[in-house]
Amino acid sequence: MTARLDSPLKVTGRARYGSDHNPPGMVFGYVVLSTVAHGEVTAMDVTAVRDAPGVLAVYTPFESLELHTPHNPIMGATWVPLQDTDVAYRGQPIGFVVAETFEQARDAASLVEVSYRERTPLTSLEDGLAAAEDAPPSMDGSPHTVTVLASGVESIEDALAASPVVVEATYTTAPQNHAAMEPHSAVAVWESGTLTVYSGNQGSDLQAASLAQALAEPLSAVHAVNPFVGGAFGGKGATSVPAFLAAAAARDLGRPVKAALTREQVFTATGTRAATVQRLALGAEKDGTLVALRHDSWSSTPMSRAFIEQTSHSTSREWYTTPNMVISQKMVPLNIPPTTFMRAPGEAPGSFALESAIDELAVELGMDPIELRRRNSSLAPPGKDLQWSSKHLDECFGIGAERFGWSQRSEGGRVDGDWLVGLGTATAMFPALRFPASVRVTLNADDTAEVATSGADPGTGLLSVLSLIGADSLDIAPERVTPRLGDSALPSGGMSGGSTATASAGSAIMVAAPEVIDELLTLAAAPGAPFEGAEVSYADGRVLATDGRSLTFGEVLRAVDRSSIAAVGSSAPGEEMSKHSFSSFGAQFCEVRVHRWTREVRVSRMLGVFDAGRIINEQPARSQLMGGMIWGVSAALHEGMEIEADGRLANGDFASYLIPVNADIPDVDVQFVQYPDTLHNPVGARGVGEIGIVGVAAAIANAVFNATGTRVRNIPIAIEDLLDE
Amino acid sequence: MDISLQINGKSERLSVEPGVTLLDALRERLDVTGPKKGCDRGQCGACTVHVGGRPVLACLTLAATVREPVTTVEGLASGDDLHPVQQAFVDQDALQCGFCTSGQIMSAVAAVEQDVPDVREFMSGNLCRCSAYPNIVAAVDQVRGADASV
């Protein structure tokens, strides 16, 4: 186990995040947002702004910075600000004021007078359900509706009607904001025709490409640097509004520009998780065997329809064995802030619905919910031939039940003084994915090595993972490996997202390391080299000859007068995708205490047992899973964006958008079963960034039911949901 | 207006508008960027520094009102030796992205110095979206345990 390698920099304040850069001559930009949710900006009076002290420039849709819509393979198109006068949501960026100081820019921005031609906004998912549209195909290309029926079964309705036991219910989940502690920000510097941007993002090379496209500059003219990212969670996958504006304004003004969103602006000017409504119907035999599953999902989406939260496709499509299944996904375009990927997109809200419904079925059957899940555990997604590569979910439940004292659980919970205590459980699944990635492995003459890729470590621990897999692949101690990331000048590491970075970058290291070792051996045996003509091999950081002689790789490099040698390795998903289905699995356990009189809900114990393949670095992996589980607590009991009828966000700051504080969180137990999944990738790791959150909200709602007998089908669960009629 | 500040043992003179916060003075005028701006209105704790030995929110403190010495996270370590609280954060993995960490550590130092009865309550003014909370408590406990064993 290795401590997080960047911790010493982070605990001393020496880690420089995007907005911590202060180049000479820097000026400050402040973003102006719309104050209506739907309409058109007809005029912006900036006279007073221009007259304000220190103001250097004011950009609006009428006097804009030219920006072009960039595209990338993962994020699709990224919206760029100020290019037209349409307003599609309240809090949309419509202006940018640049001044000598932060205070001058902020104060001047408040003087902008905006005139709108307003239209009535649509902001309620519930009101929009009747006008819902079919969603576009999901990321794997599946159509909005997928039907799997056993032969002879005419429809899912028939299958449900023929089921001896049926539960049907509708669940809702609130829209959410990533709320990473670092607001989206950027410092942009142009020097000799080259742009350097310091801005937290989930992939520096993708960010550089997107800025180059937006600015119509060659890729070689854009350098993105972000070795430290103050949290992302999917919300920094796209290049941010401050990054586009700072970069364009810096080019226009010939001065470095710093721009940061305020916390309030982050809630609307970045991305959010959609609200969802989900209708579940489960049909089962009396012994619990699932015979029919229907999961219909509606998700809010912005008017651009750019991103759809796919809840049924991300859960019910794959989780349980059933001969008959219909899932569907619809979208409801609204005048709301953009939606985007947020930690376990689809799986997090989808698992609240599915795993609550499974618990309801267990209650209906009078069956232990773990036994019900075991009985319907899938060998492969329904209707697909490709079996799971490695699935140990039953073992997760077994270990979890034992550690958590599940056998002590009783129907109706137990009472402890004024507290009603209940236990709940849920399954967690998250697909095992990886993206194309390249990594450079360098051997240096001083017997150190470097492992370098452009990817990001937004708190995930990728930096340490590069060092550990690099050391393993080069057969040397991790202390001798210097990892580098967060710089678009390095080989393309792609995006830190989808719980992929360890599998993607790790696999590329395992390609690059043998290549650089081969080159070392060739050099070592070349004419004039120390092992000229000899048969040589490599182990333990040394070149070995059959006659017993050996030299370290540094000694070899010095002998042949080379300061370093390097190889770039690349990896991408391949033929394994045609052989198996891939997912991580987990069993979530939760104990809640509900106050008999106030109905306050407290989570008092949590346990997650995860089957995520090989764990590279246990301590940070455990931390990340724990963080995910606490996100589940937050979804279940704390957070939700409250959007008013006029599109205003009623709780867009940290005083009113609730996320857990230290006192809300008990000790969290995280356990692994470790079965390296080398069918998926050579590292055997399936990633731990997202699965932690999956299922937790359902486990909590199920525990609340166990404690109180009240089934809450919406999150976040509020006190009023638990008050007696 | 002209003001002088004692930052991590160093005297700094600067000229600021009366409305400039201690946080912006540190970050934008003095390049002391350990304290972070997570919300700029006292709701997240990422800007926590010590003024006269007490934890304060630098974003809610006007620079011109500061008379006592200011300690930021940069001022805790002596040379390469981490402050015990900093070391405990490393040992317990009490951070992930690290953006809230400067503020967490300044509050945690105060928790240790004041020997607070309830660490979780005391640390609840510092948000951590990565949710390292249990490890932060473990870090404070590590330092207090070490103190107790002396």
Side-chain angles (χ1 to χ4, degrees):
Chain A
M1 187 181 75
T2 299
R4 201 177 288 273
L5 292 178
D6 49 10
S7 286
L9 293 174
K10 289 176 173 176
V11 300
T12 52
R14 286 183 290 151
R16 291 224 174 214
Y17 298 78
S19 66
D20 295 340
H21 291 85
N22 294 315
M26 184 177 74
V27 295
F28 295 79
Y30 197 93
V31 180
V32 179
L33 305 185
S34 72
T35 54
V36 305
H38 187 200
E40 190 185 341
V41 179
T42 53
M44 289 176 74
D45 183 349
V46 297
T47 318
V49 185
R50 290 198 199 287
D51 291 344
V55 169
L56 299 166
V58 188
Y59 303 103
T60 69
F62 306 101
E63 293 172 273
S64 188
L65 292 159
E66 185 181 320
L67 290 166
H68 306 271
T69 302
H71 297 262
N72 87 38
I74 298 174
M75 301 301 298
T78 300
W79 182 79
V80 288
L82 314 192
Q83 302 307 300
D84 60 54
T85 56
D86 291 344
V87 174
Y89 56 95
R90 186 162 171 149
Q92 174 184 318
I94 55 168
F96 191 55
V97 177
V98 183
E100 292 285 351
T101 70
F102 164 69
E103 292 80 9
Q104 287 169 339
R106 179 192 60 196
D107 296 352
S110 70
L111 303 173
V112 179
E113 296 282 344
V114 187
S115 304
Y116 301 95
R117 183 176 300 123
E118 279 193 66
R119 289 190 278 276
T120 307
L122 301 171
T123 58
S124 160
L125 174 57
E126 200 172 48
D127 294 348
L129 288 177
E133 303 169 8
D134 287 331
S138 66
M139 287 194 78
D140 69 0
S142 303
H144 54 80
T145 300
V146 175
T147 301
V148 175
L149 294 173
S151 65
V153 176
E154 293 283 321
S155 70
I156 193 71
E157 287 76 18
D158 287 356
L160 284 165
S163 301
V165 181
V166 174
V167 294
E168 284 184 271
T170 299
Y171 304 86
T172 63
T173 67
Q176 299 171 336
N177 183 267
H178 309 73
M181 294 307 297
E182 176 195 35
H184 299 62
S185 63
V187 174
V189 186
W190 285 87
E191 270 173 335
S192 318
T194 300
L195 167 69
T196 304
V197 172
Y198 306 93
S199 174
N201 187 271
Q202 288 170 237
S204 60
D205 61 309
L206 298 168
Q207 187 186 32
S210 136
L211 284 165
Q213 288 179 46
L215 297 162
E217 294 280 349
L219 185 55
S220 58
V222 181
H223 185 197
V225 183
N226 46 28
F228 305 103
V229 181
F233 314 113
K236 289 175 183 158
T239 299
S240 67
V241 163
F244 286 125
L245 291 175
R251 182 172 63 176
D252 188 47
L253 296 170
R255 307 264 305 262
V257 174
K258 177 186 287 191
L261 297 178
T262 67
R263 174 55 56 189
E264 293 73 16
Q265 292 176 335
V266 168
F267 279 95
T268 63
T270 62
T272 61
R273 193 201 292 280
T276 75
V277 173
Q278 301 173 62
R279 193 175 63 202
L280 261 293
L282 302 178
E285 303 285 358
K286 286 206 161 62
D287 68 358
T289 306
L290 267 183
V291 289
L293 188 165
R294 173 159 200 152
H295 188 168
D296 298 304
S297 174
W298 293 259
S299 299
S300 60
T301 191
M303 284 299 171
S304 68
R305 298 158 172 78
F307 179 86
I308 311 302
E309 185 94 11
Q310 304 264 359
T311 64
S312 53
H313 284 259
S314 302
T315 54
S316 294
R317 177 69 191 87
E318 302 202 323
W319 285 27
Y320 293 103
T321 292
T322 176
N324 304 293
M325 178 201 77
V326 170
I327 57 166
S328 73
Q329 179 65 54
K330 290 187 182 293
M331 61 180 178
V332 178
L334 299 173
N335 295 106
I336 55 169
T339 53
T340 190
F341 300 93
M342 181 165 151
R343 201 172 203 170
E347 292 83 6
S351 63
F352 169 66
L354 175 60
E355 290 302 284
S356 291
I358 291 285
D359 199 69
E360 297 205 45
L361 180 60
V363 171
E364 189 68 26
L365 291 162
M367 183 177 283
D368 182 286
I370 294 178
E371 176 56 26
L372 177 61
R373 289 181 171 90
R374 276 196 179 127
R375 194 157 292 193
N376 293 292
S377 181
S378 65
L379 286 172
K384 289 190 184 175
D385 297 331
L386 301 181
Q387 296 199 349
W388 300 115
S389 58
S390 172
K391 178 175 180 178
H392 303 274
L393 180 58
D394 286 352
E395 186 178 339
C396 293
F397 271 113
I399 292 170
E402 177 74 25
R403 279 184 82 85
F404 208 66
W406 185 255
S407 62
Q408 306 299 309
R409 175 181 180 267
S410 58
E411 205 177 312
R414 66 182 175 88
V415 177
D416 178 14
D418 277 339
W419 294 89
L420 312 176
V421 184
L423 303 186
T425 188
T427 293
M429 284 176 60
F430 191 84
L433 308 168
R434 61 179 170 133
F435 295 140
S438 298
V439 179
R440 185 180 67 218
V441 175
T442 305
L443 299 177
N444 294 316
D446 64 359
D447 275 312
T448 64
E450 181 189 86
V451 176
T453 186
S454 71
D457 182 343
T460 56
L462 180 62
L463 191 72
S464 310
V465 162
L466 294 180
S467 158
L468 288 169
I469 297 178
D472 204 37
S473 303
L474 294 171
D475 202 11
I476 59 177
E479 297 74 38
R480 287 167 61 189
V481 180
T482 303
R484 290 183 60 201
L485 48 63
D487 186 327
S488 64
L490 300 173
S492 170
M495 181 169 294
S496 274
S499 301
T500 60
T502 294
S504 306
S507 299
I509 293 171
M510 291 176 72
V511 173
E515 282 185 25
V516 79
I517 289 169
D518 278 351
E519 187 182 344
L520 174 74
L521 295 178
T522 304
L523 278 177
F531 297 96
E532 178 173 349
E535 201 168 305
V536 287
S537 60
Y538 178 91
D540 204 16
R542 304 180 76 88
V543 175
L544 317 166
T546 44
D547 62 9
R549 285 185 301 141
S550 84
L551 292 174
T552 68
F553 67 75
E555 288 169 336
V556 171
L557 292 177
R558 293 199 294 274
V560 299
D561 205 22
R562 295 284 293 267
S563 60
S564 67
I565 55 173
V568 175
S570 298
S571 85
E575 61 177 11
E576 76 276 4
M577 303 307 290
S578 62
K579 294 179 178 166
H580 288 92
S581 297
F582 300 100
S583 181
S584 287
F585 306 88
Q588 304 277 15
F589 292 84
C590 185
E591 179 187 82
V592 302
R593 299 165 72 83
V594 182
H595 196 271
R596 182 198 296 274
W597 306 115
T598 68
R599 313 309 272 182
E600 176 187 14
V601 182
R602 304 289 297 174
V603 173
S604 44
R605 291 194 295 138
M606 294 177 80
L607 163 65
V609 186
F610 298 98
D611 166 23
R614 179 179 161 210
I615 300 299
I616 305 298
N617 199 9
E618 254 190 50
Q619 190 185 43
R622 183 167 274 118
S623 296
Q624 207 182 8
L625 286 161
M626 182 178 78
M629 291 168 69
I630 294 169
W631 271 54
V633 176
S634 188
L637 300 177
H638 297 262
E639 66 180 299
M641 292 170 63
E642 293 164 23
I643 300 171
E644 298 179 335
D646 66 357
R648 178 180 164 273
L649 183 56
N651 61 341
D653 63 37
F654 272 158
S656 43
Y657 185 85
L658 303 182
I659 59 174
V661 300
N662 206 317
D664 290 315
I665 298 304
D667 286 332
V668 178
D669 187 4
V670 175
Q671 298 292 320
F672 309 112
V673 296
Q674 286 209 48
Y675 296 94
D677 190 351
T678 48
L679 292 173
H680 182 250
N681 68 78
V683 179
R686 289 194 299 234
V688 294
E690 286 161 282
I691 192 171
I693 185 177
V694 182
V696 171
I700 290 172
N702 297 341
V704 167
F705 177 80
N706 183 237
T708 65
T710 302
R711 176 67 62 181
V712 184
R713 300 189 180 92
N714 55 273
I715 51 171
I717 296 169
I719 284 171
E720 47 268 40
D721 294 319
L722 297 169
L723 294 174
D724 292 332
E725 293 297 316
Chain B
M1 57 195 296
D2 295 329
I3 63 171
S4 68
L5 295 170
Q6 284 280 328
I7 310 293
N8 298 326
K10 199 169 145 204
S11 263
E12 304 277 5
R13 298 193 150 274
L14 64 165
S15 183
V16 295
E17 295 292 313
V20 172
T21 65
L22 176 59
L23 180 61
D24 287 322
L26 289 168
R27 292 182 49 79
E28 311 301 349
R29 272 79 173 178
L30 301 171
D31 200 34
V32 177
T33 56
K36 298 291 188 262
K37 186 183 283 190
C39 73
D40 213 16
R41 53 177 65 200
Q43 297 169 346
C44 79
C47 66
T48 305
V49 300
H50 289 189
V51 176
R54 296 180 314 278
V56 304
L57 296 168
C59 76
L60 293 186
T61 305
L62 294 175
T65 66
V66 176
R67 301 281 176 273
E68 295 178 278
V70 176
T71 305
T72 72
V73 73
E74 288 97 331
L76 287 181
S78 42
D80 286 343
D81 294 334
L82 297 180
H83 184 282
V85 171
Q86 292 173 316
Q87 186 61 52
F89 268 62
V90 175
D91 295 344
Q92 300 296 334
D93 204 35
L95 58 93
Q96 290 175 45
C97 83
F99 197 79
C100 72
T101 306
S102 306
Q104 298 280 359
I105 286 177
M106 298 314 287
S107 291
V109 168
V112 171
E113 287 174 356
Q114 297 174 23
D115 197 19
V116 298
D118 188 333
V119 173
R120 283 188 159 92
E121 283 291 339
F122 188 86
M123 293 301 296
S124 285
N126 290 85
L127 298 180
C128 173
R129 184 58 155 165
C130 300
S131 307
Y133 295 129
N135 294 359
I136 290 168
V137 175
V140 174
D141 287 347
Q142 175 180 320
V143 179
R144 301 213 303 182
D147 284 353
S149 67
V150 170

